[in-house]
Amino acid sequence: MVRRRLASKPLAEVREMMRSTFPRPNRKIRIPVAGAAGRVTAGPVYSSLTVPATDIAARDGFAVVSSETPGADDRGPVPLPNPRRVNTGNAIPPGYDAVVMIEDVTGRDGAWSTGKAVLPGEWIHPAGTEIRQGELILPAGHPIRPCDIGALLTYGITDLDVRDVTVGLIPTGSELVPAGGRPGPGEVIESNTAVAAVLLGEAGVTCTRYGIVHDDPEQLRQAIRRGIRENDLLLVSAGSSAGTRDFTAGVIGDLGKVLVHGIAMKPGEPAIVGRIDGKPVVGLPGYPIAALTAVRELALPLLAEWGFCPRPAERLRARLAGTIAADPGYDEFVLLAVSRAGDRYVATPLPRGARTQMAAVRASAYLHIPAGTGSIRDGTEVEVLLTGPRWMIGESPESREPAPGCRVREREAASPLKDGS
């Protein structure tokens, strides 16, 4: 069989098409507040309580009637007729309107005096200072943070409505073995959907991983029908290229419509975007790094349009340690090993291609080279996106002094980088 050539469309054009074609699903679920971090509020959330419920002390000291303290100073303390001992946060007894701090009080039980006059309301937090019943806590569309959990619980909210989007993940390929199995010759353990589920889960969506589907068009058709019925977005891993066992595009076309097959990005060019029953279907390339790129650059931007955003990657400026050969007709995503050298960062391009997963493990950042840019020379300062926290970036070997008694072994010069698909 002759391999069909994919007609690749610009990445920006594909993203815009997805944004305009697939509106956000309008569905919500009610969940406990304690497990709501990372989700998005489906509507405004209002306080059930007034906090504090009554006037409370803002300092340790004595609750007093302020009109009984005028004229008090260090040279002429004023006796307090009936002070009430309070600690910070204690309710102010009825009839009292101020607090004298403990350090401004002298005497002993039954004979207290103050050397400082206080005004009405001094060192008191009035009722409702934080929030009043019925007041807004969070607006609709708010990504819920850990600090929001504490406020919600404090203000009497134990469960709330959040936006909900479900994503189905279908792994395909007769060569796949479930995690925990032992692959034989020509077999490989399935991991792409596990990676995708983590990436998408960080955006606050609900993911379902289905069982492995063998290279059989009818089995794939049944799996995709189920996945579309049960989810708002469906990702099909592998089978997206143009080989003799790549059935994903054909099945999507039978059940709906293939909108794009081939995107001008590296890695990830064979990716598919389709529509079935009005819902988006994304066909991922089988190679792990290409699949990861397609999830990050296609599925996550669509979810962001729907209001589900993972924490953005940290960015920093780094100087390239090597020339990157790039095709100006493609958006390219290049994995980098970033290290600190003195007061600057150095980014070393890793071997290109979509096959090896160890390149992703060794990488601490990646560089997006937009279409139309072309190659980037050694020594150029670029903005990179970190794949983990900044503290994971260590100093480069060149910037460190060898420890006493240690020998530094010279390394051979790196071979020129080869462009990969």
Side-chain angles (χ1 to χ4, degrees):
M1 179 177 178
V2 178
R3 181 183 174 89
R4 294 177 285 114
R5 184 176 180 83
L6 301 176
S8 298
K9 289 192 176 182
L11 177 60
E13 181 180 320
V14 174
R15 284 176 174 169
E16 175 58 27
M17 179 273 295
M18 294 177 71
R19 185 196 68 79
S20 60
T21 303
F22 303 112
R24 176 172 62 86
N26 187 23
R27 189 176 62 256
K28 62 185 179 181
I29 58 173
R30 196 160 188 84
I31 63 173
V33 165
R39 305 301 292 259
V40 178
T41 55
V45 185
Y46 300 97
S47 179
S48 296
L49 304 174
T50 293
V51 178
T54 186
D55 295 352
I56 62 173
R59 292 289 189 275
D60 297 338
F62 287 87
V64 299
V65 177
S66 60
S67 61
E68 297 173 346
T69 66
D73 57 31
D74 293 338
R75 291 175 297 178
V78 171
L80 296 173
N82 190 28
R84 298 285 294 275
R85 186 72 168 90
V86 292
N87 293 319
T88 302
N90 288 166
I92 301 298
Y96 292 78
D97 66 350
V99 170
V100 176
M101 292 193 296
I102 190 68
E103 52 264 41
D104 295 325
V105 175
T106 57
R108 61 183 62 185
D109 290 345
W112 300 105
S113 298
T114 177
K116 184 176 182 181
V118 290
L119 298 173
E122 192 162 351
W123 301 123
I124 286 179
H125 290 312
T129 301
E130 269 205 57
I131 200 166
R132 291 193 174 275
Q133 185 178 13
E135 191 174 337
L136 179 70
I137 305 172
L138 300 176
H142 178 86
I144 300 171
R145 304 161 297 174
C147 61
D148 299 325
I149 300 294
L152 290 165
L153 293 173
T154 299
Y155 304 149
I157 308 299
T158 56
D159 49 54
L160 77 169
D161 292 331
V162 296
R163 293 178 184 172
D164 187 45
V165 161
T166 56
V167 180
L169 301 161
I170 300 176
T172 72
S174 298
E175 76 284 3
L176 296 182
V177 175
R182 189 173 185 85
E187 294 181 332
V188 63
I189 294 175
E190 198 282 311
S191 64
N192 286 353
T193 62
V195 175
V198 173
L199 286 173
L200 300 171
E202 289 177 346
V205 302
T206 302
C207 293
T208 300
R209 293 174 62 198
Y210 294 95
I212 294 170
V213 178
H214 291 169
D215 293 320
D216 177 89
E218 185 54 37
Q219 287 187 31
L220 182 59
R221 184 175 289 105
Q222 293 176 11
I224 289 179
R225 278 177 175 158
R226 178 185 177 186
I228 282 292
R229 184 173 64 252
E230 297 178 353
N231 297 279
D232 303 299
L233 167 64
L234 185 64
L235 305 185
V236 182
S237 176
S240 68
S241 193
T244 57
R245 295 194 302 168
D246 293 319
F247 302 119
T248 302
V251 172
I252 293 174
D254 290 343
L255 299 176
K257 183 177 182 180
V258 174
L259 304 175
V260 176
H261 189 187
I263 300 171
M265 68 176 179
K266 295 182 181 180
E269 183 178 12
I272 302 165
V273 178
R275 181 180 61 216
I276 300 175
D277 295 341
K279 299 178 181 180
V281 185
V282 177
L284 307 176
Y287 290 131
I289 296 179
L292 182 151
T293 303
V295 172
R296 189 186 64 220
E297 304 303 327
L298 296 175
L300 285 181
L302 177 61
L303 291 174
E305 289 291 337
W306 290 354
F308 295 82
C309 301
R311 181 177 298 178
E314 187 175 1
R315 299 169 182 263
L316 58 78
R317 305 290 298 182
R319 195 171 300 278
L320 283 180
T323 296
I324 299 178
D327 188 333
Y330 287 75
D331 280 86
E332 297 206 26
F333 300 90
V334 182
L335 294 174
L336 305 165
V338 178
S339 57
R340 189 180 182 94
D343 60 352
R344 62 190 178 92
Y345 292 96
V346 176
T348 303
L350 295 172
R352 310 281 290 283
R355 293 174 182 265
T356 173
Q357 287 179 284
M358 281 308 300
V361 173
R362 296 185 179 108
S364 49
Y366 69 94
L367 172 65
H368 176 203
I369 305 177
T373 302
S375 299
I376 304 179
R377 292 184 177 181
D378 179 17
T380 302
E381 188 178 72
V382 294
E383 183 178 67
V384 304
L385 293 91
L386 300 185
T387 57
R390 187 182 293 229
W391 61 261
M392 291 183 66
I393 299 173
E395 289 188 327
S396 65
E398 293 80 5
S399 67
R400 292 197 297 263
E401 291 292 332
C406 292
R407 297 176 60 189
V408 178
R409 184 175 61 185
E410 296 292 335
R411 293 186 177 182
E412 294 180 0
S415 59
L417 296 176
K418 294 183 180 180
D419 191 17
S421 59

